[in-house]
């Protein structure tokens, strides 16, 4: 794309020239160590900076006070030791002319009290937040004084570290907990009139300005319409924005619409796959028009065409493409080089965000290098000194990734795929309209493979002889798995798999028992299809909650489909057996909690219990390989090539990746492939 691309034009923010219109909005990937942004954190932002991003808004909710304890690995901005760590990060980004700011906050009621310093949380009126469940104390005058000073100190630390600016988080956190009638029903100087509700904000801005001076950039990431009963309306939100601008203390508005006090509400602010793209863009444009002030905004602006439209149409000054940069930090580089088609698409899986709560770190479902910059490359630049012939069996995510990396390394690659199309289980997921965006994981890889000269042989169920006929140096078995439904003590022949339902191979019956012992998407995806068919559905699981491996934002669309329908949820029950009873099936249920048996009589039993590896070709080839299939895990982890020699008479090296090894997920599959093949 030529330099007249609206996205590649600079933006002047006060004294600061942002070299293009793309930024990442604040997002806490939970890569901190002891609350500090150390090497992993720095390299993550540096990767975006090197690739041409104009500005990175670091942290997510960097904390200014001890009674705002980390909810998801947040940076502790109140500690002085943060200064040198942030300085290193800033310097590494500034080297590439990428500006660095940070989001500061006090979480107020949006935190838990039962860790860190075990201090009570605070909020204006002591109201509990459903998502974090702490019962906060009602904030007192001395708390306010203390927290205002803490904001000023946090800002001072960031200025000392050389940052270009800060933004204050004002949606769902303490500042706007004062603004909103939902969380503030005080009748003293801090509640009631808008002047009173804004008093805390003005004190903070005054204190910050006193400590950092007028030149430092300070912005607000603020809610302008809470879109909830009794909440901040659009009119009030705009009035708040106008007053903030008129106060002369701030330099930009980063616009939010919605509320975040429940997982479901958060999902409307950070929409997942299947939800509308850029849902708040026009609204952010309205705020820009009404305030005539620099406006930033991010919410599922996942592709550069929409981002370009946002700038060209005057809706935004800076476009946040946050998850898009987790999926591909090289967006700007590729854009500037006319390689827009090579951008790895963000498919909205929101594995990244859900993982900060579920597993303590953000990872992209299909970019295993994001957050692993110290060890994993985003782009394969080094060709192998010793080009080889690869045969990859299976064109699901694991096989495609292995083929893509091998071809990028300069190897010759042939891929055998039994079906007419690439994609494997990932393609299966896309059969549900709501998960269609997942096809990007497949399509992008196929396109990259095509460009690099990978030869695909579809409709070819490769047996060992087919592989041997190619005389390969390296064989990668990525054959995936088949539904594992042989898990009942009796009656396994009477059940169908969740994947049969998703594929449309089996239609839902009238009354269905879905036994979800997988705890992840396939069970819920099947549940959605069954419920939508009009069937009566009972979801039984041995877990103590529904689908515990699905995070809050991903669970939301499932619940929105299931709850209005005839669905019963039964946790803590294990399916033991099934037996015919006339035209119906009698299911025996037990429980891990004791000898509590019960029965159900239904028309259909659907079971989800992951997959079992499709590994015949692997075991057929194993005795013929030099390494007998063995992987040196230390070499794999440390980034060295695989040198295992167990069978000198062997003809090739053999590796098995993805679900062909064990039932896991797409991230595991592509990570298996990347870290193995990048060193061959
Ligand atoms: C892993 C992750 C952590 C996030 N943490 C924060 C946060 O601490 N503060 C914040 O204002 N937004 C946070 N966000 C929201 C993003 O700033 C952004 O609003 C959201 O991802 C929507 O933009 P996108 O569609 O471009 O990703 C987070 C997002 C992700 C993916
Ligand atoms: S996990 Fe999904 S939403 Fe998150 S960055 Fe990756 S593709 Fe995008």
């Amino acid at each position: 794309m030529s330099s007249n691309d609206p996205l590649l034009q600079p933006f002047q923010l006060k004294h600061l020239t942002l070299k293009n219109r793309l930024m990442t909005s604040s997002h806490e990937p939970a890569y901190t160590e002891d609350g500090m942004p150390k090497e992993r954190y720095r390299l993550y932002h540096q990767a975006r900076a090197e690739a041409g991003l104009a500005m990175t808004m670091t942290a997510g909710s960097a904390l200014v006070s001890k009674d705002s304890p980390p909810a998801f690995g947040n940076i502790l901005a109140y500690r002085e030791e943060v200064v040198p760590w942030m300085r290193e990060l800033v310097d590494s980004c500034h080297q590439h002319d990428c500006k660095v700011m940070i989001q500061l906050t006090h979480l107020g009621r949006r935190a838990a009290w039962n860790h860190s310093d075990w201090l009570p949380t605070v909020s204006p009126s002591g109201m509990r937040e459903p998502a974090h469940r702490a019962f906060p104390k009602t904030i007192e005058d001395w708390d306010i004084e203390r927290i205002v000073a803490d904001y000023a100190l946090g800002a001072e630390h960031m200025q000392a570290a050389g940052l270009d600016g800060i933004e204050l988080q004002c949606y769902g956190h303490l500042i706007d907990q004062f603004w909103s009638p939902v969380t503030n029903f005080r009748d003293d100087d801090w509640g009631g009139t808008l002047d009173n509700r804004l008093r805390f904000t003005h004190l903070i801005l005054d204190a910050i300005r006193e400590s950092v001076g007028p030149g430092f950039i300070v912005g607000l990431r603020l809610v302008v319409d809470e879109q909830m009963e009794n909440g901040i309306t659009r009119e009030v939100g705009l009035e708040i924005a106008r007053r903030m601008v008129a106060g002369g203390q701030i330099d930009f508005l980063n616009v939010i619409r919605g509320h975040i006090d429940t997982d479901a509400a958060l999902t409307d602010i950070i929409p997942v796959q299947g939800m509308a793209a850029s849902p708040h863009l026009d609204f952010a444009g309205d705020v820009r028009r009404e305030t005539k002030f620099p406006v930033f905004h991010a919410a599922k602006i996942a592709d550069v065409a929409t981002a370009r439209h946002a700038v060209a149409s005057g809706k935004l000054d800076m476009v946040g493409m946050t998850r898009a940069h987790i999926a591909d930090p090289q967006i700007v580089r590729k854009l500037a080089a006319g390689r827009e088609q090579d951008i790895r698409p963000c498919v909205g899986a929101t594995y990244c965000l859900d993982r900060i709560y579920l597993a303590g770190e953000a990872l992209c479902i299909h970019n295993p290098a994001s957050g692993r910059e110290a060890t994993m490359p985003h782009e394969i630049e080094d060709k192998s000194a010793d080009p080889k012939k690869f045969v990859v069996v299976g064109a699901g995510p694991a096989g495609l990734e292995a083929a893509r990396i091998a071809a990028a390394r300069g190897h010759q690659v042939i891929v055998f795929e039994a079906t007419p199309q690439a994609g494997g289980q990932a393609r299966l997921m896309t059969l549900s309209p709501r998960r269609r965006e997942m096809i990007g994981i497949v399509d992008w890889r196929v396109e990259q493979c095509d460009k690099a000269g990978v030869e695909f042989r579809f409709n070819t169920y490769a047996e060992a002889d087919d592989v041997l006929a190619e005389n390969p140096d390296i064989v990668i078995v990525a054959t995936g798995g088949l539904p594992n439904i042989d898990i009942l003590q009796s009656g396994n022949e009477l059940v169908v798999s969740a994947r049969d339902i998703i594929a449309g191979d089996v239609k839902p019956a009238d009354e269905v028992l879905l036994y979800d012992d997988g705890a992840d998407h396939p069970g819920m995806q099947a549940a959605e299809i069954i419920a939508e068919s009009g069937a009566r559905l009972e979801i039984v699981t041995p877990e103590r909650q529904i689908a515990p491996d699905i995070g809050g934002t991903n669970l939301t669309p499932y619940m929105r489909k299931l709850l209005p329908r005839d669905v019963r949820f039964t946790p803590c029950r294990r399916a033991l057996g099934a037996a015919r009873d006339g035209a119906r099936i009698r299911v025996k249920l037990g429980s891990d909690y004791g000898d509590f048996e019960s029965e159900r009589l239904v028309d259909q039993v659907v079971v989800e219990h992951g997959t079992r590896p499709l590994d015949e070709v692997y075991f057929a080839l194993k005795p013929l390989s030099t390494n007998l299939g063995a992987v040196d895990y230390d070499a794999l982890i440390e980034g060295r090539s695989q040198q295992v020699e167990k069978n000198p008479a062997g003809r090739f090296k053999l590796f098995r990746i993805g679900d062909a090894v064990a039932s896991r997920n797409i991230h595991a599959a592509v990570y298996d492939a990347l870290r193995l093949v990048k060193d061959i």
Side-chain angles (χ1 to χ4, degrees):
M1 186 52 66
S2 68
S3 62
N4 59 11
D5 185 342
L7 280 179
L8 298 180
Q9 305 312 307
F11 177 65
Q12 195 64 33
L13 180 67
K14 212 167 176 171
H15 56 272
L16 200 69
T17 306
L18 299 167
K19 64 183 173 185
N20 58 55
R21 302 307 184 98
L22 290 177
M23 62 177 281
T24 47
S25 59
S26 175
H27 60 293
E28 182 48 67
Y31 299 155
T32 49
E33 294 157 59
D34 308 319
M36 293 298 123
K38 298 188 181 176
E39 187 194 26
R40 183 180 189 192
Y41 215 106
R42 171 170 53 79
L43 293 176
Y44 173 77
H45 286 283
Q46 192 180 312
R48 287 139 187 76
E50 275 170 6
L53 189 70
M55 198 251 282
T56 177
M57 183 69 73
T58 56
S61 317
L63 303 168
V64 297
S65 301
K66 288 185 179 151
D67 61 343
S68 172
F72 38 88
N74 315 71
I75 292 176
L76 305 179
Y78 56 83
R79 287 210 191 143
E80 207 175 336
E81 63 181 292
V82 79
V83 174
W85 289 114
M86 281 307 295
R87 189 178 296 126
E88 267 192 56
L89 188 158
V90 169
D91 289 350
S92 70
C93 291
H94 278 176
Q95 273 181 24
H96 306 282
D97 192 23
C98 172
K99 308 301 185 213
V100 182
M101 300 194 194
I102 194 168
Q103 181 182 74
L104 296 180
T105 200
H106 189 296
L107 294 161
R109 66 180 194 147
R110 191 171 169 76
W113 47 264
N114 57 356
H115 63 102
S116 300
D117 294 310
W118 280 72
L119 295 172
T121 59
V122 290
S123 80
S125 297
M127 280 262 298
R128 181 191 216 197
E129 192 220 51
H132 289 75
R133 297 199 303 273
F135 293 104
K137 80 168 222 180
T138 299
I139 199 164
E140 296 178 67
D141 48 3
W142 58 270
D143 291 313
I144 291 175
E145 259 172 53
R146 172 177 62 78
I147 293 168
V148 166
D150 286 348
Y151 266 100
L153 182 66
E156 202 175 302
H157 285 162
M158 297 309 151
Q159 190 181 40
L163 274 85
D164 299 291
I166 58 172
E167 75 173 12
L168 307 183
Q169 209 280 17
C170 315
Y171 66 104
H173 291 195
L174 186 57
I175 289 182
D176 64 295
Q177 285 163 25
F178 273 95
W179 300 353
S180 174
V182 174
T183 42
N184 180 357
F185 29 90
R186 298 174 71 110
D187 54 9
D188 58 6
D189 287 351
W190 306 99
T193 65
L194 193 55
D195 278 341
N196 282 351
R197 287 186 275 134
L198 293 180
R199 191 180 307 281
F200 180 59
T201 316
H202 286 307
L203 285 178
I204 290 170
L205 287 170
D206 288 347
I208 287 177
R209 280 293 172 208
E210 202 168 307
S211 80
V212 299
F216 196 58
I217 289 177
V218 177
L220 300 181
R221 191 170 204 199
L222 81 173
V223 57
V224 187
D225 177 359
E226 279 192 302
Q227 291 194 304
M228 74 189 293
E229 205 183 327
N230 203 28
I232 297 165
T233 59
R234 176 192 170 104
E235 290 66 34
V236 172
L238 278 170
E239 179 58 20
I240 292 172
R242 276 191 218 100
R243 288 194 193 190
M244 290 295 145
V245 170
Q249 307 270 49
I250 61 164
D251 303 301
F252 66 86
L253 300 170
N254 187 349
V255 173
I256 292 283
R257 184 168 62 159
H259 55 112
I260 59 172
D261 51 340
T262 64
D263 289 344
L266 177 71
T267 310
D268 293 325
I269 287 188
I270 309 179
V272 302
Q273 57 188 204
M275 296 172 73
S278 55
H280 310 305
L281 177 57
D282 290 344
F283 178 77
D286 291 351
V287 176
R288 183 173 184 267
R289 201 183 52 242
E290 293 283 334
T291 59
K292 301 184 177 45
F293 208 60
V295 161
F296 307 169
H297 172 67
K300 208 177 181 210
I301 301 173
D303 61 291
V304 288
T306 309
R308 189 175 290 126
H309 160 74
V311 172
S313 60
K315 293 184 197 302
L316 303 183
D317 295 294
M318 292 296 294
V319 187
M321 291 186 74
T322 303
R323 284 169 294 174
H325 273 84
I326 301 179
D328 191 343
Q330 313 225 12
I331 291 177
V332 179
R333 177 178 292 159
K334 290 177 181 173
L335 188 60
R339 293 176 53 211
E340 207 169 309
Q341 293 308 320
D342 289 335
I343 295 171
R344 184 187 318 228
C346 171
V347 299
T350 316
Y351 184 66
C352 46
L353 176 64
D354 278 342
R355 265 189 68 92
I356 65 176
Y357 286 102
L358 282 180
E361 61 170 357
L363 290 173
C364 174
I365 195 157
H366 82 126
N367 183 349
S370 259
R372 294 197 182 98
E373 280 77 8
T375 53
M376 295 295 133
H378 281 287
E379 195 134 271
I380 301 291
E381 273 149 16
D382 298 337
K383 296 279 181 207
S384 165
D386 181 17
K388 302 237 172 9
K389 182 169 184 184
F390 271 63
V391 166
V392 178
V393 188
L400 287 174
E401 181 73 350
R404 180 182 82 82
I405 305 295
R409 296 266 296 140
H411 301 297
Q412 182 195 348
V413 186
I414 296 171
V415 180
F416 288 115
E417 166 57 40
T419 71
Q421 283 175 305
Q425 292 179 70
R427 183 173 290 279
L428 186 67
M429 290 172 192
T430 67
L431 295 177
S432 290
R434 222 176 41 66
R435 304 202 74 201
R436 220 167 257 156
E437 287 167 62
M438 295 293 267
I439 203 64
I441 295 173
V442 177
D443 286 350
W444 179 76
R445 285 184 169 74
V446 170
E447 214 174 302
Q448 296 297 304
C449 284
D450 283 343
K451 280 187 187 171
V454 171
E455 182 186 340
F456 285 98
R457 298 202 194 149
F458 291 110
N459 298 308
T460 309
Y461 186 91
E463 311 264 6
D465 283 346
D466 301 303
V467 174
L468 295 173
E470 296 302 327
N471 208 14
D473 303 301
I474 309 282
V475 178
I476 308 271
V477 174
T479 38
L482 284 178
N484 183 5
I485 54 174
D486 279 354
I487 59 164
L488 305 181
Q489 291 163 4
S490 59
N492 284 313
E493 70 285 359
L494 299 176
V495 312
V496 299
S497 75
R499 292 160 212 245
D500 289 334
I501 296 283
I502 298 168
D505 295 341
V506 175
K507 295 280 168 246
D510 289 340
E511 189 168 0
V512 183
L513 185 146
L514 169 67
Y515 180 54
D516 185 9
D517 194 14
D520 213 331
H521 282 279
M524 294 307 279
Q525 202 171 337
E528 189 176 317
I529 294 167
I530 296 165
E532 284 198 304
S533 76
R536 264 169 295 148
L537 171 65
E538 180 176 4
I539 304 173
V540 176
T541 174
E543 306 294 340
R544 57 196 158 99
Q545 70 188 79
I546 297 299
D549 291 342
I550 299 181
T553 66
N554 271 286
L555 196 66
T556 296
Y558 288 121
M559 287 300 144
R560 285 178 176 166
K561 291 279 188 191
L562 296 178
L563 292 178
R565 296 184 164 81
D566 194 358
V567 180
R568 174 176 168 192
F569 297 95
T570 306
C572 305
R573 286 283 184 187
R574 194 171 282 286
L576 301 179
R580 272 247 170 265
D581 188 331
R584 310 194 83 197
I585 303 172
R586 192 170 289 280
V587 187
K588 191 158 92 176
L589 301 180
S591 170
D592 299 346
Y593 294 88
D595 201 7
F596 313 120
E597 290 199 356
S598 62
E599 283 190 342
R600 302 283 192 276
L601 191 59
V602 293
D603 300 312
Q604 189 178 49
V605 180
V606 179
V607 169
E608 165 54 24
H609 185 78
T611 54
R612 62 179 167 72
L614 255 172
D615 49 17
E616 290 81 359
V617 73
Y618 168 79
F619 282 107
L621 291 168
K622 184 173 166 175
L624 307 174
S625 65
T626 53
N627 60 329
L628 299 180
V631 181
D632 176 346
Y633 279 167
D634 288 334
L636 187 75
I637 292 165
E638 289 158 20
R640 290 179 279 113
S641 63
Q642 293 290 320
Q643 300 296 347
V644 180
E645 276 276 350
K646 284 180 176 287
N647 174 23
R651 295 162 55 185
F652 49 84
K653 283 188 183 172
L654 174 69
F655 301 103
R656 185 162 58 128
I657 57 174
D659 281 4
V661 180
S663 183
R664 289 170 294 160
N665 68 8
I666 292 174
H667 182 86
V670 295
Y671 187 32
D672 274 2
L674 172 63
R675 62 176 164 171
L676 175 76
V677 181
K678 77 177 174 46
D679 297 313
I680 298 179

